Amino acid sequence: QVQLVESGGGLVQPGGSLRLSCAVSGRIFRLNGMGWYRQAPGKQRELVAAITRSGSPNYADSVKGRFTISRDNAKNTADLQMNSLKPEDTAVYYCNAAVNLYGPAYSSDDYWGQGTQVTVSS
């Protein structure tokens, strides 16, 4: 059973920083792409940042220059460092991972964490 557990959310003032962490556990063959998504009330879930297994990042335009995604393949973790936070960053943040469970001949499946709340407010 694959599990993704997020941590690090909370309440922060505008201009502040938070670091989110995602840990993937379970019996897996290979952890491929990972990403962070967010969903604000009344809005669709959107991609915030993604990172390939080799470490190539991709960011939404709204967070470029403020957020940094990283990963540790040995630990099966991915972090999202969020700086210069704005009220519009308020949302539930979800970790996503493409997981290959069985081997090279098999495709990856998407898994999601339960989400962690980030609130940016004075």
Side-chain angles (χ1 to χ4, degrees):
Q1 186 79 9
V2 177
Q3 285 190 318
L4 277 65
V5 178
E6 302 113 332
S7 61
L11 172 65
V12 64
Q13 292 187 341
S17 298
L18 281 175
R19 188 176 184 90
L20 305 182
S21 294
C22 174
V24 181
S25 63
R27 191 169 181 176
I28 65 176
F29 172 76
R30 184 182 179 95
L31 183 58
N32 293 317
M34 298 186 72
W36 287 94
Y37 290 71
R38 67 187 180 189
Q39 188 167 19
K43 294 188 177 182
Q44 289 190 330
R45 190 173 296 190
E46 63 175 0
L47 175 67
V48 176
I51 188 167
T52 65
R53 180 171 177 81
S54 61
S56 295
N58 182 42
Y59 298 98
D61 287 343
S62 59
V63 307
K64 282 181 181 177
R66 299 188 298 123
F67 291 10
T68 302
I69 189 170
S70 60
R71 66 185 290 169
D72 185 330
N73 290 336
K75 297 180 179 179
N76 286 343
T77 60
D79 291 349
L80 185 67
Q81 177 66 42
M82 305 186 294
N83 299 328
S84 302
L85 283 160
K86 304 175 181 180
E88 51 263 44
D89 294 318
T90 295
V92 178
Y93 283 70
Y94 296 90
C95 178
N96 170 266
V99 180
N100 184 325
L101 292 176
Y102 304 111
Y106 296 85
S107 60
S108 297
D109 294 312
D110 267 351
Y111 288 85
W112 292 87
Q114 292 297 309
T116 184
Q117 177 70 46
V118 171
T119 303
V120 185
S121 174
S122 55

